[in-house]
Amino acid sequence: MSPAAPAGPERAGSESAVYVVIEPAAEVDLRAELYQWSGDPEWAYLFADTLWQACQQQGPLVVRTRLGCPWFSRAWRAMEQGQCLGLVLQSVEDLQTVCQWLRRRLMVRLGGQRKGLLRYYDPLVWHRLAPAVQRRPAIIEQAWYWCDGPAGFRWQRSVRPEPIPLLPEPVLSEEQHRALYVATESWPENSTSVPD
């Protein structure tokens, strides 16, 4: 499927921006390509200003982009080909607000007093979290992710997603924890997204 697919973000309202949360494989340097293909890109390290800031350069990027941009097309294809993990998000908010939303969901309570990094930007994890639909206006209007389903690998969509209950802090529900645990039985060998 190409970025011009009918279910893709090109159907977003004219006021919405497209953001890509992407974690490339070690051999893929999307940062260099970002400057090569986008001129003056607007981006941030997802792990900046978090407990994982020391390894931010090895972590995901959050890139504000536009449809039709060569870098967006390259990132979309890289996700389809398994060269990168990531999400494509639609929001009317600026990069800083989107990054705050994303960072707030990185540290999650796993049960009891245990906490850990939740790699929700991995489509396998996002899919298992089964994000709830927010009824109120949401910072993230839609999310697209490349994931296996009954019809094989395809782009799937979440509308006004809330992947993790946030009251009073991010915590996995019992169902989410169980779904992630069960998923480890069939997790791809090259995936680094095995939950705790």
Side-chain angles (χ1 to χ4, degrees), residues 87 89 101-102 104-106 108 118 120-121 125-134 140 143 158-166 170-173 176 180:
L87 302 170
L89 308 173
W101 187 94
L102 293 165
R104 181 156 186 236
R105 289 150 180 82
L106 284 172
V108 65
L118 181 66
Y120 59 78
Y121 48 84
V125 174
W126 182 270
H127 188 70
R128 296 292 181 173
L129 291 173
V133 176
Q134 296 182 49
I140 304 301
S158 302
V159 177
R160 293 190 317 277
E162 181 49 72
I164 311 159
L166 292 175
V171 61
L172 289 179
S173 69
Q176 290 173 320
L180 289 172

PDB file of all heavy atoms in Angstrom, residues 87 89 101-102 104-106 108 118 120-121 125-134 140 143 158-166 170-173 176 180:
ATOM      1  N   LEU A  87       4.660   4.664  14.045  1.00  0.00           N
ATOM      2  CA  LEU A  87       3.264   5.075  13.927  1.00  0.00           C
ATOM      3  C   LEU A  87       3.208   6.334  13.069  1.00  0.00           C
ATOM      4  O   LEU A  87       4.140   7.137  13.084  1.00  0.00           O
ATOM      5  CB  LEU A  87       2.674   5.425  15.294  1.00  0.00           C
ATOM      6  CG  LEU A  87       2.682   4.372  16.386  1.00  0.00           C
ATOM      7  CD1 LEU A  87       2.291   4.996  17.717  1.00  0.00           C
ATOM      8  CD2 LEU A  87       1.741   3.239  16.028  1.00  0.00           C
ATOM      9  N   LEU A  89       0.805   9.609  12.827  1.00  0.00           N
ATOM     10  CA  LEU A  89      -0.217  10.273  13.630  1.00  0.00           C
ATOM     11  C   LEU A  89      -0.732  11.520  12.935  1.00  0.00           C
ATOM     12  O   LEU A  89       0.004  12.197  12.225  1.00  0.00           O
ATOM     13  CB  LEU A  89       0.367  10.679  14.990  1.00  0.00           C
ATOM     14  CG  LEU A  89       1.077   9.592  15.784  1.00  0.00           C
ATOM     15  CD1 LEU A  89       1.748  10.187  17.012  1.00  0.00           C
ATOM     16  CD2 LEU A  89       0.104   8.488  16.170  1.00  0.00           C
ATOM     17  N   TRP A 101       2.527  14.488  24.706  1.00  0.00           N
ATOM     18  CA  TRP A 101       1.530  13.411  24.745  1.00  0.00           C
ATOM     19  C   TRP A 101       2.223  12.059  24.649  1.00  0.00           C
ATOM     20  O   TRP A 101       1.924  11.144  25.409  1.00  0.00           O
ATOM     21  CB  TRP A 101       0.542  13.599  23.597  1.00  0.00           C
ATOM     22  CG  TRP A 101      -0.629  12.664  23.596  1.00  0.00           C
ATOM     23  CD1 TRP A 101      -1.857  12.909  24.151  1.00  0.00           C
ATOM     24  CD2 TRP A 101      -0.705  11.360  23.003  1.00  0.00           C
ATOM     25  NE1 TRP A 101      -2.687  11.832  23.939  1.00  0.00           N
ATOM     26  CE2 TRP A 101      -2.012  10.861  23.239  1.00  0.00           C
ATOM     27  CE3 TRP A 101       0.183  10.567  22.305  1.00  0.00           C
ATOM     28  CZ2 TRP A 101      -2.432   9.610  22.799  1.00  0.00           C
ATOM     29  CZ3 TRP A 101      -0.238   9.313  21.859  1.00  0.00           C
ATOM     30  CH2 TRP A 101      -1.524   8.851  22.114  1.00  0.00           C
ATOM     31  N   LEU A 102       3.153  11.937  23.716  1.00  0.00           N
ATOM     32  CA  LEU A 102       3.869  10.675  23.510  1.00  0.00           C
ATOM     33  C   LEU A 102       4.736  10.327  24.723  1.00  0.00           C
ATOM     34  O   LEU A 102       4.742   9.182  25.189  1.00  0.00           O
ATOM     35  CB  LEU A 102       4.739  10.764  22.254  1.00  0.00           C
ATOM     36  CG  LEU A 102       3.986  10.864  20.925  1.00  0.00           C
ATOM     37  CD1 LEU A 102       4.933  11.307  19.808  1.00  0.00           C
ATOM     38  CD2 LEU A 102       3.314   9.551  20.585  1.00  0.00           C
ATOM     39  N   ARG A 104       4.470  11.221  27.830  1.00  0.00           N
ATOM     40  CA  ARG A 104       3.694  10.915  29.042  1.00  0.00           C
ATOM     41  C   ARG A 104       3.323   9.434  29.099  1.00  0.00           C
ATOM     42  O   ARG A 104       3.076   8.879  30.156  1.00  0.00           O
ATOM     43  CB  ARG A 104       2.430  11.770  29.093  1.00  0.00           C
ATOM     44  CG  ARG A 104       1.618  11.498  30.341  1.00  0.00           C
ATOM     45  CD  ARG A 104       0.731  12.634  30.734  1.00  0.00           C
ATOM     46  NE  ARG A 104       0.095  12.322  32.013  1.00  0.00           N
ATOM     47  CZ  ARG A 104      -1.193  12.301  32.214  1.00  0.00           C
ATOM     48  NH1 ARG A 104      -2.016  12.621  31.235  1.00  0.00           N
ATOM     49  NH2 ARG A 104      -1.681  11.993  33.397  1.00  0.00           N
ATOM     50  N   ARG A 105       3.319   8.764  27.992  1.00  0.00           N
ATOM     51  CA  ARG A 105       2.899   7.365  27.910  1.00  0.00           C
ATOM     52  C   ARG A 105       4.073   6.373  27.845  1.00  0.00           C
ATOM     53  O   ARG A 105       3.863   5.181  27.719  1.00  0.00           O
ATOM     54  CB  ARG A 105       1.973   7.184  26.711  1.00  0.00           C
ATOM     55  CG  ARG A 105       0.622   7.842  26.963  1.00  0.00           C
ATOM     56  CD  ARG A 105      -0.050   8.335  25.702  1.00  0.00           C
ATOM     57  NE  ARG A 105      -1.338   8.942  26.032  1.00  0.00           N
ATOM     58  CZ  ARG A 105      -1.492  10.182  26.462  1.00  0.00           C
ATOM     59  NH1 ARG A 105      -0.452  10.980  26.628  1.00  0.00           N
ATOM     60  NH2 ARG A 105      -2.694  10.654  26.749  1.00  0.00           N
ATOM     61  N   LEU A 106       5.298   6.858  27.936  1.00  0.00           N
ATOM     62  CA  LEU A 106       6.462   5.980  27.860  1.00  0.00           C
ATOM     63  C   LEU A 106       6.652   5.144  29.129  1.00  0.00           C
ATOM     64  O   LEU A 106       6.930   3.959  29.062  1.00  0.00           O
ATOM     65  CB  LEU A 106       7.743   6.782  27.598  1.00  0.00           C
ATOM     66  CG  LEU A 106       7.951   7.272  26.177  1.00  0.00           C
ATOM     67  CD1 LEU A 106       9.158   8.212  26.119  1.00  0.00           C
ATOM     68  CD2 LEU A 106       8.125   6.114  25.219  1.00  0.00           C
ATOM     69  N   VAL A 108       5.252   3.288  32.216  1.00  0.00           N
ATOM     70  CA  VAL A 108       3.954   2.718  32.548  1.00  0.00           C
ATOM     71  C   VAL A 108       4.087   1.786  33.746  1.00  0.00           C
ATOM     72  O   VAL A 108       5.105   1.119  33.914  1.00  0.00           O
ATOM     73  CB  VAL A 108       3.360   1.988  31.315  1.00  0.00           C
ATOM     74  CG1 VAL A 108       4.194   0.804  30.921  1.00  0.00           C
ATOM     75  CG2 VAL A 108       1.924   1.583  31.541  1.00  0.00           C
ATOM     76  N   LEU A 118       7.338   1.439  27.962  1.00  0.00           N
ATOM     77  CA  LEU A 118       6.372   0.789  27.080  1.00  0.00           C
ATOM     78  C   LEU A 118       6.630   1.274  25.663  1.00  0.00           C
ATOM     79  O   LEU A 118       6.439   2.453  25.356  1.00  0.00           O
ATOM     80  CB  LEU A 118       4.938   1.123  27.492  1.00  0.00           C
ATOM     81  CG  LEU A 118       3.865   0.460  26.639  1.00  0.00           C
ATOM     82  CD1 LEU A 118       3.898  -1.063  26.814  1.00  0.00           C
ATOM     83  CD2 LEU A 118       2.492   0.998  26.993  1.00  0.00           C
ATOM     84  N   TYR A 120       5.146   1.521  22.924  1.00  0.00           N
ATOM     85  CA  TYR A 120       3.855   1.548  22.234  1.00  0.00           C
ATOM     86  C   TYR A 120       3.998   1.943  20.776  1.00  0.00           C
ATOM     87  O   TYR A 120       3.092   1.701  19.974  1.00  0.00           O
ATOM     88  CB  TYR A 120       2.884   2.511  22.938  1.00  0.00           C
ATOM     89  CG  TYR A 120       3.424   3.911  23.002  1.00  0.00           C
ATOM     90  CD1 TYR A 120       3.379   4.752  21.896  1.00  0.00           C
ATOM     91  CD2 TYR A 120       4.033   4.388  24.157  1.00  0.00           C
ATOM     92  CE1 TYR A 120       3.912   6.016  21.938  1.00  0.00           C
ATOM     93  CE2 TYR A 120       4.561   5.654  24.212  1.00  0.00           C
ATOM     94  CZ  TYR A 120       4.503   6.464  23.106  1.00  0.00           C
ATOM     95  OH  TYR A 120       5.046   7.715  23.143  1.00  0.00           O
ATOM     96  N   TYR A 121       5.098   2.563  20.398  1.00  0.00           N
ATOM     97  CA  TYR A 121       5.326   2.966  19.004  1.00  0.00           C
ATOM     98  C   TYR A 121       5.673   1.769  18.123  1.00  0.00           C
ATOM     99  O   TYR A 121       5.737   1.896  16.912  1.00  0.00           O
ATOM    100  CB  TYR A 121       6.414   4.043  18.915  1.00  0.00           C
ATOM    101  CG  TYR A 121       7.646   3.696  19.704  1.00  0.00           C
ATOM    102  CD1 TYR A 121       8.634   2.889  19.176  1.00  0.00           C
ATOM    103  CD2 TYR A 121       7.790   4.154  21.008  1.00  0.00           C
ATOM    104  CE1 TYR A 121       9.745   2.546  19.924  1.00  0.00           C
ATOM    105  CE2 TYR A 121       8.902   3.816  21.762  1.00  0.00           C
ATOM    106  CZ  TYR A 121       9.874   3.011  21.213  1.00  0.00           C
ATOM    107  OH  TYR A 121      10.972   2.669  21.959  1.00  0.00           O
ATOM    108  N   VAL A 125       2.977  -3.834  19.590  1.00  0.00           N
ATOM    109  CA  VAL A 125       2.559  -3.432  20.934  1.00  0.00           C
ATOM    110  C   VAL A 125       1.299  -2.574  20.845  1.00  0.00           C
ATOM    111  O   VAL A 125       0.327  -2.800  21.575  1.00  0.00           O
ATOM    112  CB  VAL A 125       3.694  -2.688  21.670  1.00  0.00           C
ATOM    113  CG1 VAL A 125       3.222  -2.147  23.006  1.00  0.00           C
ATOM    114  CG2 VAL A 125       4.900  -3.611  21.856  1.00  0.00           C
ATOM    115  N   TRP A 126       1.299  -1.583  19.960  1.00  0.00           N
ATOM    116  CA  TRP A 126       0.134  -0.697  19.794  1.00  0.00           C
ATOM    117  C   TRP A 126      -1.127  -1.525  19.535  1.00  0.00           C
ATOM    118  O   TRP A 126      -2.168  -1.305  20.137  1.00  0.00           O
ATOM    119  CB  TRP A 126       0.387   0.275  18.659  1.00  0.00           C
ATOM    120  CG  TRP A 126      -0.710   1.274  18.429  1.00  0.00           C
ATOM    121  CD1 TRP A 126      -1.785   1.138  17.601  1.00  0.00           C
ATOM    122  CD2 TRP A 126      -0.848   2.565  19.043  1.00  0.00           C
ATOM    123  NE1 TRP A 126      -2.578   2.262  17.647  1.00  0.00           N
ATOM    124  CE2 TRP A 126      -2.018   3.146  18.534  1.00  0.00           C
ATOM    125  CE3 TRP A 126      -0.078   3.273  19.970  1.00  0.00           C
ATOM    126  CZ2 TRP A 126      -2.445   4.414  18.920  1.00  0.00           C
ATOM    127  CZ3 TRP A 126      -0.508   4.532  20.345  1.00  0.00           C
ATOM    128  CH2 TRP A 126      -1.676   5.093  19.825  1.00  0.00           C
ATOM    129  N   HIS A 127      -0.992  -2.500  18.644  1.00  0.00           N
ATOM    130  CA  HIS A 127      -2.134  -3.336  18.287  1.00  0.00           C
ATOM    131  C   HIS A 127      -2.642  -4.113  19.505  1.00  0.00           C
ATOM    132  O   HIS A 127      -3.851  -4.209  19.735  1.00  0.00           O
ATOM    133  CB  HIS A 127      -1.733  -4.281  17.150  1.00  0.00           C
ATOM    134  CG  HIS A 127      -2.868  -5.040  16.570  1.00  0.00           C
ATOM    135  ND1 HIS A 127      -3.853  -4.442  15.809  1.00  0.00           N
ATOM    136  CD2 HIS A 127      -3.194  -6.355  16.631  1.00  0.00           C
ATOM    137  CE1 HIS A 127      -4.736  -5.352  15.430  1.00  0.00           C
ATOM    138  NE2 HIS A 127      -4.358  -6.514  15.913  1.00  0.00           N
ATOM    139  N   ARG A 128      -1.721  -4.676  20.289  1.00  0.00           N
ATOM    140  CA  ARG A 128      -2.108  -5.445  21.484  1.00  0.00           C
ATOM    141  C   ARG A 128      -2.701  -4.562  22.567  1.00  0.00           C
ATOM    142  O   ARG A 128      -3.483  -5.032  23.393  1.00  0.00           O
ATOM    143  CB  ARG A 128      -0.905  -6.209  22.050  1.00  0.00           C
ATOM    144  CG  ARG A 128      -0.366  -7.261  21.130  1.00  0.00           C
ATOM    145  CD  ARG A 128      -1.340  -8.384  20.963  1.00  0.00           C
ATOM    146  NE  ARG A 128      -0.747  -9.394  20.087  1.00  0.00           N
ATOM    147  CZ  ARG A 128      -1.295 -10.555  19.858  1.00  0.00           C
ATOM    148  NH1 ARG A 128      -2.431 -10.880  20.413  1.00  0.00           N
ATOM    149  NH2 ARG A 128      -0.716 -11.402  19.054  1.00  0.00           N
ATOM    150  N   LEU A 129      -2.319  -3.293  22.602  1.00  0.00           N
ATOM    151  CA  LEU A 129      -2.892  -2.385  23.599  1.00  0.00           C
ATOM    152  C   LEU A 129      -4.360  -2.090  23.307  1.00  0.00           C
ATOM    153  O   LEU A 129      -5.095  -1.698  24.207  1.00  0.00           O
ATOM    154  CB  LEU A 129      -2.104  -1.065  23.639  1.00  0.00           C
ATOM    155  CG  LEU A 129      -0.693  -1.156  24.200  1.00  0.00           C
ATOM    156  CD1 LEU A 129       0.020   0.182  24.030  1.00  0.00           C
ATOM    157  CD2 LEU A 129      -0.686  -1.605  25.644  1.00  0.00           C
ATOM    158  N   ALA A 130      -4.781  -2.287  22.062  1.00  0.00           N
ATOM    159  CA  ALA A 130      -6.155  -2.025  21.636  1.00  0.00           C
ATOM    160  C   ALA A 130      -6.617  -0.660  22.158  1.00  0.00           C
ATOM    161  O   ALA A 130      -7.488  -0.570  23.022  1.00  0.00           O
ATOM    162  CB  ALA A 130      -7.082  -3.137  22.127  1.00  0.00           C
ATOM    163  N   PRO A 131      -6.018   0.432  21.644  1.00  0.00           N
ATOM    164  CA  PRO A 131      -6.331   1.762  22.166  1.00  0.00           C
ATOM    165  C   PRO A 131      -7.825   2.062  22.201  1.00  0.00           C
ATOM    166  O   PRO A 131      -8.555   1.772  21.260  1.00  0.00           O
ATOM    167  CB  PRO A 131      -5.621   2.702  21.192  1.00  0.00           C
ATOM    168  CG  PRO A 131      -4.516   1.881  20.630  1.00  0.00           C
ATOM    169  CD  PRO A 131      -5.066   0.480  20.542  1.00  0.00           C
ATOM    170  N   ALA A 132      -8.240   2.629  23.323  1.00  0.00           N
ATOM    171  CA  ALA A 132      -9.626   3.058  23.487  1.00  0.00           C
ATOM    172  C   ALA A 132      -9.863   4.316  22.653  1.00  0.00           C
ATOM    173  O   ALA A 132      -8.941   5.073  22.370  1.00  0.00           O
ATOM    174  CB  ALA A 132      -9.913   3.346  24.958  1.00  0.00           C
ATOM    175  N   VAL A 133     -11.098   4.544  22.283  1.00  0.00           N
ATOM    176  CA  VAL A 133     -11.474   5.757  21.552  1.00  0.00           C
ATOM    177  C   VAL A 133     -11.909   6.798  22.567  1.00  0.00           C
ATOM    178  O   VAL A 133     -12.809   6.568  23.375  1.00  0.00           O
ATOM    179  CB  VAL A 133     -12.628   5.465  20.559  1.00  0.00           C
ATOM    180  CG1 VAL A 133     -13.076   6.748  19.886  1.00  0.00           C
ATOM    181  CG2 VAL A 133     -12.206   4.420  19.545  1.00  0.00           C
ATOM    182  N   GLN A 134     -11.248   7.960  22.532  1.00  0.00           N
ATOM    183  CA  GLN A 134     -11.633   9.053  23.420  1.00  0.00           C
ATOM    184  C   GLN A 134     -12.900   9.713  22.893  1.00  0.00           C
ATOM    185  O   GLN A 134     -13.026   9.941  21.698  1.00  0.00           O
ATOM    186  CB  GLN A 134     -10.512  10.094  23.487  1.00  0.00           C
ATOM    187  CG  GLN A 134      -9.234   9.581  24.078  1.00  0.00           C
ATOM    188  CD  GLN A 134      -8.203  10.690  24.140  1.00  0.00           C
ATOM    189  OE1 GLN A 134      -8.488  11.780  24.612  1.00  0.00           O
ATOM    190  NE2 GLN A 134      -7.020  10.406  23.640  1.00  0.00           N
ATOM    191  N   ILE A 140      -4.241  13.460  19.625  1.00  0.00           N
ATOM    192  CA  ILE A 140      -3.991  12.612  18.465  1.00  0.00           C
ATOM    193  C   ILE A 140      -5.348  12.238  17.875  1.00  0.00           C
ATOM    194  O   ILE A 140      -6.150  11.557  18.507  1.00  0.00           O
ATOM    195  CB  ILE A 140      -3.201  11.338  18.847  1.00  0.00           C
ATOM    196  CG1 ILE A 140      -1.895  11.712  19.542  1.00  0.00           C
ATOM    197  CG2 ILE A 140      -2.963  10.460  17.613  1.00  0.00           C
ATOM    198  CD1 ILE A 140      -0.952  12.583  18.728  1.00  0.00           C
ATOM    199  N   ALA A 143      -4.286   7.459  14.300  1.00  0.00           N
ATOM    200  CA  ALA A 143      -2.974   6.814  14.217  1.00  0.00           C
ATOM    201  C   ALA A 143      -3.062   5.684  13.209  1.00  0.00           C
ATOM    202  O   ALA A 143      -4.058   4.965  13.164  1.00  0.00           O
ATOM    203  CB  ALA A 143      -2.567   6.268  15.586  1.00  0.00           C
ATOM    204  N   SER A 158      -6.335   3.700  14.218  1.00  0.00           N
ATOM    205  CA  SER A 158      -7.005   3.965  15.492  1.00  0.00           C
ATOM    206  C   SER A 158      -7.507   5.400  15.437  1.00  0.00           C
ATOM    207  O   SER A 158      -6.768   6.300  15.030  1.00  0.00           O
ATOM    208  CB  SER A 158      -6.030   3.842  16.670  1.00  0.00           C
ATOM    209  OG  SER A 158      -5.451   2.571  16.723  1.00  0.00           O
ATOM    210  N   VAL A 159      -8.743   5.630  15.850  1.00  0.00           N
ATOM    211  CA  VAL A 159      -9.340   6.964  15.838  1.00  0.00           C
ATOM    212  C   VAL A 159      -9.379   7.505  17.263  1.00  0.00           C
ATOM    213  O   VAL A 159      -9.782   6.800  18.187  1.00  0.00           O
ATOM    214  CB  VAL A 159     -10.765   6.917  15.242  1.00  0.00           C
ATOM    215  CG1 VAL A 159     -11.416   8.294  15.283  1.00  0.00           C
ATOM    216  CG2 VAL A 159     -10.724   6.376  13.823  1.00  0.00           C
ATOM    217  N   ARG A 160      -8.927   8.759  17.438  1.00  0.00           N
ATOM    218  CA  ARG A 160      -8.848   9.410  18.754  1.00  0.00           C
ATOM    219  C   ARG A 160      -8.321   8.419  19.806  1.00  0.00           C
ATOM    220  O   ARG A 160      -8.964   8.195  20.831  1.00  0.00           O
ATOM    221  CB  ARG A 160     -10.193   9.995  19.163  1.00  0.00           C
ATOM    222  CG  ARG A 160     -10.647  11.162  18.302  1.00  0.00           C
ATOM    223  CD  ARG A 160     -11.872  11.901  18.834  1.00  0.00           C
ATOM    224  NE  ARG A 160     -12.938  11.076  19.340  1.00  0.00           N
ATOM    225  CZ  ARG A 160     -13.887  10.491  18.608  1.00  0.00           C
ATOM    226  NH1 ARG A 160     -13.887  10.638  17.305  1.00  0.00           N
ATOM    227  NH2 ARG A 160     -14.822   9.756  19.165  1.00  0.00           N
ATOM    228  N   PRO A 161      -7.139   7.834  19.553  1.00  0.00           N
ATOM    229  CA  PRO A 161      -6.667   6.742  20.406  1.00  0.00           C
ATOM    230  C   PRO A 161      -6.157   7.184  21.773  1.00  0.00           C
ATOM    231  O   PRO A 161      -5.530   8.226  21.909  1.00  0.00           O
ATOM    232  CB  PRO A 161      -5.518   6.155  19.591  1.00  0.00           C
ATOM    233  CG  PRO A 161      -4.969   7.332  18.852  1.00  0.00           C
ATOM    234  CD  PRO A 161      -6.179   8.166  18.503  1.00  0.00           C
ATOM    235  N   GLU A 162      -6.455   6.369  22.753  1.00  0.00           N
ATOM    236  CA  GLU A 162      -5.820   6.478  24.071  1.00  0.00           C
ATOM    237  C   GLU A 162      -5.329   5.080  24.399  1.00  0.00           C
ATOM    238  O   GLU A 162      -6.108   4.219  24.798  1.00  0.00           O
ATOM    239  CB  GLU A 162      -6.784   6.985  25.146  1.00  0.00           C
ATOM    240  CG  GLU A 162      -6.120   7.112  26.502  1.00  0.00           C
ATOM    241  CD  GLU A 162      -4.789   7.873  26.439  1.00  0.00           C
ATOM    242  OE1 GLU A 162      -4.818   9.104  26.244  1.00  0.00           O
ATOM    243  OE2 GLU A 162      -3.730   7.237  26.573  1.00  0.00           O
ATOM    244  N   PRO A 163      -4.023   4.839  24.202  1.00  0.00           N
ATOM    245  CA  PRO A 163      -3.510   3.482  24.360  1.00  0.00           C
ATOM    246  C   PRO A 163      -3.417   2.992  25.800  1.00  0.00           C
ATOM    247  O   PRO A 163      -3.431   1.788  26.039  1.00  0.00           O
ATOM    248  CB  PRO A 163      -2.120   3.557  23.719  1.00  0.00           C
ATOM    249  CG  PRO A 163      -1.737   4.993  23.802  1.00  0.00           C
ATOM    250  CD  PRO A 163      -3.018   5.766  23.719  1.00  0.00           C
ATOM    251  N   ILE A 164      -3.328   3.903  26.769  1.00  0.00           N
ATOM    252  CA  ILE A 164      -3.072   3.513  28.152  1.00  0.00           C
ATOM    253  C   ILE A 164      -3.933   4.351  29.091  1.00  0.00           C
ATOM    254  O   ILE A 164      -3.956   5.574  28.981  1.00  0.00           O
ATOM    255  CB  ILE A 164      -1.600   3.755  28.516  1.00  0.00           C
ATOM    256  CG1 ILE A 164      -0.673   3.166  27.464  1.00  0.00           C
ATOM    257  CG2 ILE A 164      -1.255   3.203  29.889  1.00  0.00           C
ATOM    258  CD1 ILE A 164       0.695   3.767  27.470  1.00  0.00           C
ATOM    259  N   PRO A 165      -4.616   3.717  30.051  1.00  0.00           N
ATOM    260  CA  PRO A 165      -5.307   4.513  31.076  1.00  0.00           C
ATOM    261  C   PRO A 165      -4.301   5.385  31.834  1.00  0.00           C
ATOM    262  O   PRO A 165      -3.231   4.914  32.205  1.00  0.00           O
ATOM    263  CB  PRO A 165      -5.922   3.447  31.990  1.00  0.00           C
ATOM    264  CG  PRO A 165      -6.008   2.217  31.148  1.00  0.00           C
ATOM    265  CD  PRO A 165      -4.839   2.286  30.210  1.00  0.00           C
ATOM    266  N   LEU A 166      -4.623   6.666  32.050  1.00  0.00           N
ATOM    267  CA  LEU A 166      -3.664   7.611  32.626  1.00  0.00           C
ATOM    268  C   LEU A 166      -3.968   8.048  34.056  1.00  0.00           C
ATOM    269  O   LEU A 166      -3.254   8.879  34.585  1.00  0.00           O
ATOM    270  CB  LEU A 166      -3.580   8.860  31.743  1.00  0.00           C
ATOM    271  CG  LEU A 166      -2.968   8.658  30.378  1.00  0.00           C
ATOM    272  CD1 LEU A 166      -3.066   9.942  29.569  1.00  0.00           C
ATOM    273  CD2 LEU A 166      -1.537   8.212  30.485  1.00  0.00           C
ATOM    274  N   PRO A 170       0.140   6.584  34.011  1.00  0.00           N
ATOM    275  CA  PRO A 170      -0.028   5.550  32.992  1.00  0.00           C
ATOM    276  C   PRO A 170       0.099   4.144  33.591  1.00  0.00           C
ATOM    277  O   PRO A 170       1.049   3.852  34.324  1.00  0.00           O
ATOM    278  CB  PRO A 170       1.111   5.822  32.011  1.00  0.00           C
ATOM    279  CG  PRO A 170       1.452   7.262  32.214  1.00  0.00           C
ATOM    280  CD  PRO A 170       1.207   7.532  33.668  1.00  0.00           C
ATOM    281  N   VAL A 171      -0.880   3.310  33.311  1.00  0.00           N
ATOM    282  CA  VAL A 171      -0.884   1.945  33.851  1.00  0.00           C
ATOM    283  C   VAL A 171      -1.527   1.014  32.833  1.00  0.00           C
ATOM    284  O   VAL A 171      -2.506   1.374  32.182  1.00  0.00           O
ATOM    285  CB  VAL A 171      -1.631   1.882  35.206  1.00  0.00           C
ATOM    286  CG1 VAL A 171      -3.082   2.303  35.077  1.00  0.00           C
ATOM    287  CG2 VAL A 171      -1.527   0.502  35.825  1.00  0.00           C
ATOM    288  N   LEU A 172      -0.938  -0.164  32.667  1.00  0.00           N
ATOM    289  CA  LEU A 172      -1.554  -1.158  31.794  1.00  0.00           C
ATOM    290  C   LEU A 172      -2.749  -1.778  32.497  1.00  0.00           C
ATOM    291  O   LEU A 172      -2.666  -2.113  33.683  1.00  0.00           O
ATOM    292  CB  LEU A 172      -0.558  -2.270  31.456  1.00  0.00           C
ATOM    293  CG  LEU A 172       0.589  -1.938  30.529  1.00  0.00           C
ATOM    294  CD1 LEU A 172       1.472  -3.162  30.338  1.00  0.00           C
ATOM    295  CD2 LEU A 172       0.101  -1.437  29.192  1.00  0.00           C
ATOM    296  N   SER A 173      -3.839  -1.937  31.784  1.00  0.00           N
ATOM    297  CA  SER A 173      -4.967  -2.676  32.336  1.00  0.00           C
ATOM    298  C   SER A 173      -4.587  -4.157  32.394  1.00  0.00           C
ATOM    299  O   SER A 173      -3.639  -4.591  31.730  1.00  0.00           O
ATOM    300  CB  SER A 173      -6.208  -2.484  31.472  1.00  0.00           C
ATOM    301  OG  SER A 173      -6.039  -3.145  30.229  1.00  0.00           O
ATOM    302  N   GLN A 176      -4.646  -5.549  28.904  1.00  0.00           N
ATOM    303  CA  GLN A 176      -3.497  -5.159  28.098  1.00  0.00           C
ATOM    304  C   GLN A 176      -2.249  -5.950  28.499  1.00  0.00           C
ATOM    305  O   GLN A 176      -1.501  -6.426  27.644  1.00  0.00           O
ATOM    306  CB  GLN A 176      -3.228  -3.656  28.232  1.00  0.00           C
ATOM    307  CG  GLN A 176      -4.282  -2.803  27.559  1.00  0.00           C
ATOM    308  CD  GLN A 176      -4.080  -1.336  27.844  1.00  0.00           C
ATOM    309  OE1 GLN A 176      -3.734  -0.930  28.957  1.00  0.00           O
ATOM    310  NE2 GLN A 176      -4.294  -0.514  26.820  1.00  0.00           N
ATOM    311  N   LEU A 180      -0.256  -8.480  25.978  1.00  0.00           N
ATOM    312  CA  LEU A 180       1.167  -8.350  25.673  1.00  0.00           C
ATOM    313  C   LEU A 180       1.925  -9.607  26.089  1.00  0.00           C
ATOM    314  O   LEU A 180       2.823 -10.061  25.377  1.00  0.00           O
ATOM    315  CB  LEU A 180       1.750  -7.119  26.357  1.00  0.00           C
ATOM    316  CG  LEU A 180       1.302  -5.779  25.774  1.00  0.00           C
ATOM    317  CD1 LEU A 180       1.787  -4.630  26.641  1.00  0.00           C
ATOM    318  CD2 LEU A 180       1.792  -5.611  24.349  1.00  0.00           C
TER     319      LEU A 180
END
